[in-house]
Every structure is written in structure tokens, then in C-alpha cells.
Amino acid sequence: MFNFKKPRHKLHIADENDLRLSDLKPGEKGRIVEIGGSENFRHRLIEMGITRDAEICVDKYAPLRDPMELIVKGYHLSLRGMDAQKICVERIA
Amino acid sequence: MNFNIAIAGNPNCGKTTIFNALTGARQRVGNWPGVTVEKKSGQYNYSDIRFDVIDLPGTYSLAAFSAEETVVRHYLEQDEAQVVVNIIDASNLERNLFLTTQLIELGKPLVIVLNMMDMAHEKGLQIDADTLATLLGAPVVPVVGRTGEGMDLLKEKILRVSTEISMKSRFIDISYPRDIEIEIEKLTHLIKRDDESHKQSRWTSIKLLESDKQTRDEVRIHPDGADILKQAKNSIERIELIFKDTGRAIISHARYGFIQGALRECVVESLVDSVDYSRKIDRLITNRWLGLPIFGLFMWLMFKLTYDLGSIPMDWIDAGLISLMNFISALMPESMFASLLVDGVIGGVGAIAVFLPNIFILFFIIAVLEDSGYMARVAFIMDRVMHNIGLHGKAFIPMIMGFGCNVPAIMGTRILESRRDRILTVLINPFMSCSARLPVYVLVAGAFFPDNAATVIFSMYVLGIVAAIASGKLFSRTILKGMSKPFVLELPPYQRPTLRSLILHTWERGYLFIQKMGTVILVGSVIIWVLGYFPRDVQVERDYQKERMELVEDYDYQMINLGTKFNKSVQKDRQEYHSEMIAYESSSSYQELHHQFQQLQDDLQNKEALELYRLRQQEIGDITEQKWIGRVGKIFEPIVRPLGFTWRESVALITGFVAKEIVVSTYGVLFGVGEDIDEGSQGVISGLRSSGMTPLVALSFLVFTLLYTPCLATVAAIKRETGTWAYTIFSIAYSLGLAYLLAFGVTYFGGMFNWLS
Ligand SMILES: Nc1nc2c(ncn2[C@@H]2O[C@H](COP(=O)(O)OP(=O)(O)O)[C@@H](O)[C@H]2O)c(=O)[nH]1
């Protein structure tokens, strides 16, 4: 699916057209495909349970629209839109 | 005999609750050396053995990302703790067990506590603790921290594990994919030559594959360090080639894989029809439309309660201090010691002590917000705003609190997880105009801008906010650049706070305030007192004694004149009086004359008293000019002259370092009107007006007062929270510089266009 030459330094996100976590609307569910961004950011998210294939649900957006509230592994978590944009997901019904 | 045990766990897993349940009130709060991460320690006895407990900061991992994680890693890798008690939120098992997998690998004897069993039941989770214990290779104790259920069993298990430390056979290994195990094997083989146990060398190998910097640094000093690091590099490259991802990501995923496998075997999720109350509450509280108004309402309530409720005991403390001062003054003959005690110590420390009720109430409310889980929602709601200045949403709370008092506000920055965010928030917090600055605004704006006082005062607040935002942006792009962490915030379920925990939290923070601020304020007040007290005999040019006598003579003369005038009028009136029915003394015309006379007499007496009082205060002002404090003011006069300030402003600003509200009383003294603003503010106003200060300079003075370092207590708080003198001195220098610059701008540009002159 992805073409990795030098995985250490390359973002894992392949395609501009991939669905991002930030594209999901409140109430929609997705499955994590890949996490991009800096190494520290990726690892932080993985440690918090945003692992590959994990199910994630967008609960709602903050009143000022920015951070979003997510449900993953049975708990609630908040991420900024700009960070959620680095996460590739596939929509599940 | 005693054992050291350490409590570890995720944030919000109930660590503090369990720690309190174990140790009761016997606990101490300090800081970990070098970092401002709270270190809590306590102890308890169980079957005649003493257990010393350390409550480690809450972390999601042992990656040494944050200050907290580094502290935990460092502490656990040392040999100090014999047993680790890992608290787990049973209603949120999967993520909580991530840390557990690392603790298992770390190899310390472990007791796992399944906390919040009540919540897990509500969620319909059936957890088989015995199976979990077998899978994790450590005893598992289900408890409900809030009610204390299961605590005895926990103590028993801790005792058992502590006394059977030699039995290491039960330790299990988390198994990784084969290709990773092969690399781990290669590395452990190399490391083992250093005589390390299996557990330790495996831990080191795994950490090396995760590219952990701390471990690499440690390995480097080993005899075979170079070889080991070379192998690690090769292994990482191989892993990346095979898995198309970093070693660390693969290992983290494998840990979650292990956890999922374990949970499949020991957790049954029954489909109960449970209502997620927390989510329901959140639907309202962080609602798109209502979220902000509700937040505003809470903030307003917080202020209202803090200041209105706090003002009641404030008055008592004030009254108490005054009677204490009077009592001591009456008891002791006038002496240097008496003055030091009354004016220096009680006066200075008392000025801060009156804020204690406010501070305690504020801390209590914050404890409620934190324990209930609302604080995380504040971060959620306000993050958009704070993100603009490069800060985390939670930083909003200390900023708002700054309007009340910067000291608790700066101490409140502890709610922020990242050190960089804490420092940034601490540095910009003093620009939030605290309540102690208000009396200065009221006085000066009232004197020079009587028609627009409210506007001037309001613009001070706005200017403070602008300065904070601008400085925040500046700092986050310069000195505190790039250290920012991604915003990954857990929103824990809402909880009803327990009174016990609220009181504990409030007391912990309040006590720190009393302790630290008390000492600094004491020293500061004594210094100001010394400056104002010495040298003892000063010469003033004006002969006040003579002036006083002349004044009294003059008034005596006027009084006699008045009496004579009255007598004459009465005589004249009596001649014109004809009625036989009523005696002249009872007639209305006499009554009126007499009344007039009495009024004039009263007026005269009042005027005399006031003038005498002013003369006395002018004398104090003149004497002060000769005291060290006045001389210090004079030394600084050339520096502040470009701003249009005289030595008086200089002295006022210097004493304002101790506490901003002192500026007003200093002015009172300097302008010879008295220290009591209620009584003399009219006098200060006329004094200020007649001193040659223009409205423009007054505005400039207000700007300076707003921006420069609020007070000694704030300095102490900054030192405490940033942990270094470097940031403390930077903060003082920066705010003084900014104050000077802007005040100069006001005076200079205003002068250029002849504004407000
Ligand atoms: N329902 C329930 N709540 C608990 C339990 N233990 C702790 N809490 C609550 O969970 C919240 C977080 O607890 P705290 O001890 O402050 O967590 P820490 O952040 O890990 O120190 C508090 O509101 C506690 O009252 C428990 O066993 N059951």
C-alpha cells in the first residue's frame, strides 16, 4: 500500500487524498491506518493507545471548533485538528 | 525494619487517593531535585514493619519524554525502591496496562492494584484478577480507592512481596515478534558480559531498540559500550527494514498486542445497559453553544467566591492585626525592637496575611475543578485561544487567577504538564493585573482623570493582557522555542470530589504558600523597615516644631476672635429683642446664633487638626527623604527622570516591590497625608496634583506600576516554580525593562504632542 524507502526519516503518509482523522465528523468512526508527524508525536500517540488498526470515534469538537474529542480504547482523548490531520484513517460504519 | 515502596501509574488513575488511603495524614510534599515535579512521601506501619511510600508523578509511559517521566524512570532504575505498586484504572484497563508492561520489564517486584473497581462494574466489566495475575506475573489486588475497600488486602500483598523479594522466578517476559526477539537476544548476549541479571540486560536491550537516549548514554560508559551501541544500530536498521517502521513503534505496538491478548483471557464485557453519566454531563458542559457561557459562569463564580467570601475573614484578620499592633505598642516602651516588631514584621507580613483567606478559597475551588475532572475540560474549551500564544489550554486557569493574585496563580501553573509551558505561563503571568494594583489605579486615576477614571483603569487591565499575549508570543518564538509538546489530553470521567481529598489538596498548596512566602515577605519587610528606620537622627531644614506652635497660636487667635464676634452679635441681638414672654436665651434668634457659632467653632477645630496632621506628615515626608530609603530613591531618581518621575515615585516604586498596595501608603507618607488611604486619599489626591505631576506622567506611572514585577511574594513564587534563579532574574529584568520602555514611550510621545500636560 505504501512505498517506504527510508522509513526512519520519511513520513508514513503516502497520499494527499487519504482520509484523515480530522476529516471525520462528530459521531463517525474510523480505523487508524497510519500516523505521521514527528517521531515524538507518533510515539506519544501510540503509547496513548492510538495504535495501528485501533478503532477511534470522533465524539465532538470544542466550542471554538479546535481541539476534537475522541474515544479510543474506551477512554476520552483530545487532539488538535492540526495533529489529527497527521493521522490517516479509514471510515468504518 | 522498613521497606521503600514506590507508587506508579497513569495520571487520573487514583494514585493520590490510594497514597492517601495508605499513609493517612503522615505525608510530606517536596520537589524532586532539579525539577519542579512534586515529590510526595509518606509512611505507614503494617505488622510492625514500616513502609516508606513515594508517590511518583503520574505518567503514561517510561519513555523519558517529559520531566515527570524522567523522574519516574530515574527513580525506578535506582535501587531505592524495593517494591513498585502499580495503580491501574480498572475501567480503562488497556491503556493503563501499557505502563505496566514497562514496569514488568523493569524487573522490580511489582504489586498491581486494580483501582476504580466500582466504575468497572458500572461499565459492565468482569475482571478475573487471578488470571490477570498469572499473565502479568505479579499479584493483582482489586480495590476501590474512594471507599478504602480492599486496602487491607493490598497492605498484606505489599508485605508479602516485600519479604519474599528473593523469589524472582515468577517474573515473566513480554514476548515480541520473532525478528525483534532475535535482535534482543543479540544485544543481551553482548550486555550480559557486564554481569547483569537477565532482567536488566533485557530491559537495556529493549530500550536500545527503542532508541532511548538515556539508555544509550548509560551504555556508552560501559566497557563494551561501543560494541553494544554498534550492534544496537545494526539491529535497529534491520528492524526498520523488516517492519517498515521504527523499533520503538513496533515495540509499543507489540506491547499493546500483549495487553490485548491478556485482556481477551481475563475480561468479560457484559452488555449492561449502563448510562455513561460523564458523557451526558459533557454533552452539556462542553456543548458547542453552551460550553463557553458555562465556562464563563464558572470563572465568574470562582472570582466572586474568592473575593467576596474571602473579604469576610480578611476583615477579621485585619482587625486582629491592628489590635495586635496596638497591644504590643502599648505593652512595650517605644524602642527600636518595638518598631521592628510592629512596623516591620507585623506590618509587612500582615499585609500578605490578609490575603490568606482569598488564597485558601481559590486553592479549594481549584481542587474542586481538578478533582471533578472539569480542569481537563477547561483545557479543551480554551485550547484554541491559548494555542495562539504557544500554550496549552490549561494555561488559561493560571492566567485568569492572575487577576486575583499572581502568587497562587503562579503556583497554579503546576497543573501544566510540560515544564516549558509552565515556565512560559509563569513568565507572562505577572502582567495580569492583580487586585493589589487596583488601589494604585484608583488613587492615581482618581486624582488625574476624575472624569475618565474607569476608562483609565480598564485600559490598564487591557494593557496587561496585551503585554502578556505579546510577551507569550515573543517567548515562544525565542527563548522557549521548539520545546513545545503535542497536545494530547485525556478527558477523564467526571467524579464527585471527596471532601477529604479537597481539604488535603487545599492544605498542601496553602501550606507551601505560608511557608515560602512567609519567609520571603518577612525578610523583605524587615529590609524596607531598616531602610525607613535608619539613620536615627536626621536634620530637616524646616523647623516643624516652630511651625506647629505658630499654627496652634494662629488658630487660638482665630478662636478668640470668633468668640468675641459671637458675644458682640449676641449683645446686639439682645438689644433688639423685645418679647417679655420668653427669656432671650430661649429665643429662636439666639438659638440660631449659637448654633452658627458652634458650627464655625467645629469647622475651625477640624481645620486645625487637619493642618496639624498635614504638617506632621510633611515632616515625615521630609524625614523620609533623609532616611536611607529616601536616599535610595534619590539614587534612582536620575534613572526614572526621563519618565517624568521624581524621587517620590522612585521610592513608591521601590517599596512597591514588597507589595504593590504599599505604593499607595508610601505616597501617603511622602505627600504628607498619612498612611490611611480611607482617611487621607483626598489629601493624597491634592498632594499629587500640587506636586507638579502632570496627567501624562501619572499615566506613565500607572503603566510602570502595572508592568513591573508585582511583589516579592511573586518573585519567590517564580523562583519556586521555575526552579532557577536564571528565569527569576530574567522575569524581573524583563518586566522592569518593559515597564520602563512603555512608561518612557507614554511620557515621551505624549510630551511630543503635548497630550495631557
Ligand atoms: N469511582 C471511583 N473514583 C475514584 C476511585 N479512586 C479515585 N477516584 C477518583 O478519581 C479521581 C482522580 O483521583 P486521584 O487520586 O486524584 O488521581 P491521580 O491523578 O492518579 O492522583 C478523583 O476524583 C478520585 O476521587 C475509585 O476507586 N472509584
Side-chain angles (χ1 to χ4, degrees):
Chain A
M1 191 169 169
F2 300 119
N3 181 23
F4 297 107
K5 279 207 196 100
K6 257 191 133 203
R8 269 197 98 178
H9 310 291
K10 192 77 200 108
L11 260 180
H12 295 239
I13 292 168
D15 199 330
E16 292 276 304
N17 301 324
D18 276 346
L19 186 69
R20 309 301 166 100
L21 181 56
S22 50
D23 297 332
L24 295 186
K25 297 198 172 46
E28 286 190 323
K29 270 190 194 169
R31 195 189 310 281
I32 307 289
V33 175
E34 199 58 85
I35 306 170
S38 73
E39 286 297 284
N40 275 351
F41 173 70
R42 296 185 60 222
H43 290 131
R44 180 42 108 215
L45 290 192
I46 294 171
E47 284 169 355
M48 299 282 288
I50 305 190
T51 49
R52 202 173 300 137
D53 294 335
E55 261 184 38
I56 196 158
C57 170
V58 176
D59 194 42
K60 63 167 159 313
Y61 285 90
L64 295 173
R65 284 295 291 169
D66 193 16
M68 58 203 298
E69 184 171 340
L70 306 163
I71 305 177
V72 65
K73 296 212 188 317
Y75 79 99
H76 292 245
L77 180 80
S78 172
L79 282 185
R80 285 181 185 146
M82 64 175 217
D83 289 330
Q85 208 167 5
K86 298 172 190 156
I87 302 170
C88 276
V89 293
E90 58 188 28
R91 197 178 270 121
I92 49 180
Chain B
M1 186 156 167
N2 75 310
F3 288 105
N4 290 332
I5 64 176
I7 299 185
N10 284 186
N12 306 310
C13 67
K15 245 161 25 63
T16 314
T17 310
I18 305 275
F19 176 78
N20 289 341
L22 280 177
T23 62
R26 280 167 298 169
Q27 44 179 275
R28 285 186 328 129
V29 187
N31 273 10
W32 292 90
V35 284
T36 34
V37 175
E38 242 168 52
K39 176 180 185 171
K40 264 202 229 146
S41 50
Q43 51 172 266
Y44 70 92
N45 292 308
Y46 187 74
S47 71
D48 293 332
I49 295 176
R50 198 179 84 217
F51 291 87
D52 291 308
V53 193
I54 294 274
D55 187 15
L56 294 169
T59 60
Y60 295 110
S61 155
L62 292 182
F65 247 157
S66 59
E68 285 77 10
E69 284 176 7
T70 313
V71 162
V72 175
R73 255 291 277 293
H74 194 75
Y75 185 78
L76 291 181
E77 283 181 341
Q78 285 174 343
D79 282 331
E80 216 169 302
Q82 281 124 356
V83 177
V84 179
V85 177
N86 178 205
I87 318 282
I88 284 174
D89 173 358
S91 66
N92 188 0
L93 265 182
E94 195 173 341
R95 199 211 56 219
N96 272 260
L97 282 171
F98 186 81
L99 178 69
T100 311
T101 58
Q102 291 173 305
L103 291 174
I104 290 172
E105 282 174 344
L106 197 59
K108 282 255 159 78
L110 199 61
V111 176
I112 292 167
V113 179
L114 283 182
N115 190 28
M116 312 223 183
M117 284 304 282
D118 52 335
M119 304 246 293
H121 281 304
E122 254 172 57
K123 264 188 153 181
L125 298 176
Q126 299 285 330
I127 304 167
D128 179 351
D130 292 334
T131 313
L132 190 62
T134 317
L135 289 168
L136 299 178
V140 172
V141 190
V143 305
V144 180
R146 220 177 157 79
T147 58
E149 214 178 305
M151 293 310 291
D152 286 331
L153 184 62
L154 174 59
K155 285 183 181 173
E156 180 63 36
K157 278 274 156 52
I158 293 174
L159 173 75
R160 190 99 50 84
V161 172
S162 307
T163 47
E164 292 168 12
I165 275 172
S166 53
M167 284 177 48
K168 286 194 178 176
S169 54
R170 294 225 298 154
F171 290 144
I172 57 138
D173 285 338
I174 312 284
S175 55
Y176 292 100
R178 239 189 75 77
D179 289 302
I180 297 217
E181 285 292 344
I182 291 170
E183 303 306 321
I184 293 176
E185 186 57 39
K186 284 184 199 162
L187 280 168
T188 31
H189 184 70
L190 275 178
I191 296 168
K192 253 214 181 118
R193 279 194 282 171
D194 292 313
D195 236 19
E196 289 191 60
S197 73
H198 163 77
K199 210 71 209 176
Q200 248 167 336
S201 48
R202 189 177 163 87
W203 167 252
T204 311
S205 310
I206 293 169
K207 279 284 140 192
L208 282 174
L209 292 183
E210 287 185 307
S211 311
D212 183 79
K213 193 177 166 305
Q214 194 175 315
T215 309
R216 269 210 299 250
D217 291 344
E218 282 159 17
V219 168
R220 197 161 287 138
I221 50 172
H222 276 226
D224 291 333
D227 287 346
I228 298 172
L229 288 179
K230 198 159 154 247
Q231 176 57 47
K233 192 165 165 280
N234 289 338
S235 299
I236 290 171
E237 274 171 13
R238 244 182 74 82
I239 290 175
E240 287 180 350
L241 208 68
I242 298 170
F243 292 96
K244 317 275 184 255
D245 208 341
T246 59
R248 200 162 142 200
I250 299 300
I251 287 173
S252 293
H253 274 110
R255 287 198 176 118
Y256 268 111
F258 168 82
I259 294 165
Q260 277 155 3
L263 292 186
R264 259 195 297 277
E265 285 184 48
C266 59
V267 177
V268 183
E269 199 167 344
S270 53
L271 282 172
V272 290
D273 211 15
S274 72
V275 195
D276 192 344
Y277 285 109
S278 192
R279 207 163 158 197
K280 282 219 155 147
I281 296 172
D282 237 4
R283 279 270 134 88
L284 177 72
I285 284 186
T286 57
N287 179 281
R288 206 112 171 246
W289 309 111
L290 292 177
L292 280 173
I294 290 177
F295 171 63
L297 182 75
F298 280 161
M299 287 294 112
W300 180 79
L301 268 177
M302 180 163 113
F303 257 88
K304 198 81 186 136
L305 282 175
T306 305
Y307 297 103
D308 288 1
L309 211 62
S311 68
I312 303 167
M314 200 168 177
D315 291 343
W316 299 339
I317 294 181
D318 215 17
L321 280 169
I322 289 172
S323 33
L324 182 67
M325 279 166 146
N326 289 341
F327 177 72
I328 292 180
S329 304
L331 204 68
M332 292 206 290
E334 208 169 290
S335 67
M336 189 173 109
F337 182 69
S339 167
L340 171 67
L341 202 62
V342 171
D343 299 332
V345 176
I346 302 178
V349 175
I352 306 302
V354 292
F355 288 115
L356 276 180
N358 292 342
I359 284 163
F360 271 81
I361 293 172
L362 196 59
F363 284 162
F364 186 82
I365 296 173
I366 288 178
V368 172
L369 295 183
E370 276 191 322
D371 279 11
S372 65
Y374 187 66
M375 201 62 103
R377 272 73 185 184
V378 171
F380 180 68
I381 292 174
M382 293 312 291
D383 183 67
R384 178 78 183 266
V385 176
M386 298 312 287
H387 189 199
N388 274 331
I389 19 177
L391 279 173
H392 193 282
K394 268 192 203 169
F396 191 78
I397 299 276
M399 297 307 283
I400 283 283
M401 280 162 58
F403 282 134
C405 175
N406 297 118
V407 174
I410 286 172
M411 290 171 68
T413 59
R414 293 199 168 184
I415 58 174
L416 300 174
E417 278 115 49
S418 118
R419 178 169 157 75
R420 177 248 178 210
D421 284 6
R422 269 199 301 254
I423 288 177
L424 185 52
T425 316
V426 165
L427 288 182
I428 63 177
N429 199 282
F431 296 129
M432 304 309 276
S433 184
C434 70
S435 57
R437 277 168 256 193
L438 189 61
V440 186
Y441 304 156
V442 171
L443 178 79
V444 178
F448 290 97
F449 308 98
D451 301 331
N452 299 314
T455 316
V456 169
I457 293 171
F458 180 70
S459 42
M460 285 302 128
Y461 278 84
V462 174
L463 179 65
I465 295 169
V466 171
I469 292 175
S471 304
K473 284 203 165 195
L474 180 72
F475 294 156
S476 64
R477 275 174 207 175
T478 52
I479 51 168
L480 292 166
K481 202 165 82 183
M483 289 146 76
S484 177
K485 286 199 310 181
F487 177 85
V488 185
L489 175 78
E490 185 186 351
L491 296 168
Y494 286 105
Q495 295 269 5
R496 181 144 24 91
T498 58
L499 190 62
R500 190 189 139 84
S501 131
L502 292 181
I503 289 171
L504 255 166
H505 276 143
T506 311
W507 172 245
E508 260 167 38
R509 293 197 178 131
Y511 181 72
L512 276 180
F513 178 83
I514 294 175
Q515 194 187 27
K516 288 287 165 184
M517 309 311 143
T519 46
V520 174
I521 285 295
L522 184 64
V523 172
S525 317
V526 169
I527 290 175
I528 295 277
W529 174 83
V530 166
L531 290 179
Y533 193 76
F534 293 105
R536 280 320 286 151
D537 45 311
V538 294
Q539 305 293 326
V540 286
E541 272 169 31
R542 277 165 72 180
D543 189 345
Y544 280 100
Q545 197 53 37
K546 195 163 147 245
E547 279 187 44
R548 219 181 330 265
M549 275 164 64
E550 281 168 6
L551 193 81
V552 172
E553 255 172 42
D554 184 41
Y555 272 96
D556 283 353
Y557 180 70
Q558 285 189 42
M559 203 62 95
I560 293 168
N561 268 354
L562 189 69
T564 324
K565 247 165 100 187
F566 172 67
N567 282 340
K568 266 190 194 153
S569 310
V570 169
Q571 247 168 24
K572 197 162 150 244
D573 197 44
R574 192 196 290 272
Q575 278 166 8
E576 287 164 14
Y577 187 73
H578 295 300
S579 169
E580 306 276 311
M581 308 281 290
I582 311 161
Y584 173 68
E585 273 71 19
S586 321
S587 75
S588 64
S589 75
Y590 174 79
Q591 294 278 324
E592 189 159 319
L593 270 178
H594 188 71
H595 182 71
Q596 268 177 9
F597 169 68
Q598 271 183 338
Q599 221 160 30
L600 284 172
Q601 205 176 21
D602 283 353
D603 283 353
L604 210 56
Q605 269 165 1
N606 282 343
K607 240 169 98 183
E608 180 181 10
L610 188 66
E611 275 190 42
L612 274 174
Y613 182 66
R614 281 200 187 154
L615 197 65
R616 170 73 191 137
Q617 296 300 336
Q618 273 168 23
E619 186 179 8
I620 293 176
D622 272 4
I623 291 171
T624 309
E625 193 176 352
Q626 305 284 324
K627 297 277 184 187
W628 284 342
I629 191 148
R631 295 187 204 173
V632 172
K634 291 240 156 169
I635 292 173
F636 284 102
E637 193 181 4
I639 302 177
V640 294
R641 200 175 292 138
L643 312 179
F645 299 171
T646 65
W647 70 271
R648 286 196 184 89
E649 280 77 43
S650 168
V651 170
L653 291 174
I654 290 167
T655 54
F657 255 122
V658 176
K660 280 270 164 90
E661 55 271 58
I662 296 183
V663 169
V664 172
S665 50
T666 309
Y667 255 137
V669 174
L670 294 180
F671 282 115
V673 208
E675 299 176 23
D676 199 336
I677 14 168
D678 289 344
E679 198 176 283
S681 55
Q682 224 33 52
V684 180
I685 288 175
S686 57
L688 275 167
R689 282 221 195 98
S690 58
S691 72
M693 199 189 216
T694 62
L696 183 69
V697 172
L699 195 64
S700 162
F701 182 74
L702 283 183
V703 169
F704 201 99
T705 305
L706 164 72
L707 295 175
Y708 85 112
T709 312
C711 62
L712 267 178
T714 306
V715 172
I718 294 175
K719 166 69 176 63
R720 203 192 147 73
E721 297 309 318
T722 62
T724 69
W725 278 111
Y727 280 119
T728 315
I729 291 165
F730 172 78
S731 165
I732 298 173
Y734 179 80
S735 54
L736 270 177
L738 191 68
Y740 193 91
L741 207 70
L742 291 192
F744 179 74
V746 170
T747 310
Y748 185 77
F749 289 108
M752 226 157 69
F753 299 109
N754 257 331
W755 283 334
L756 303 170
S757 51

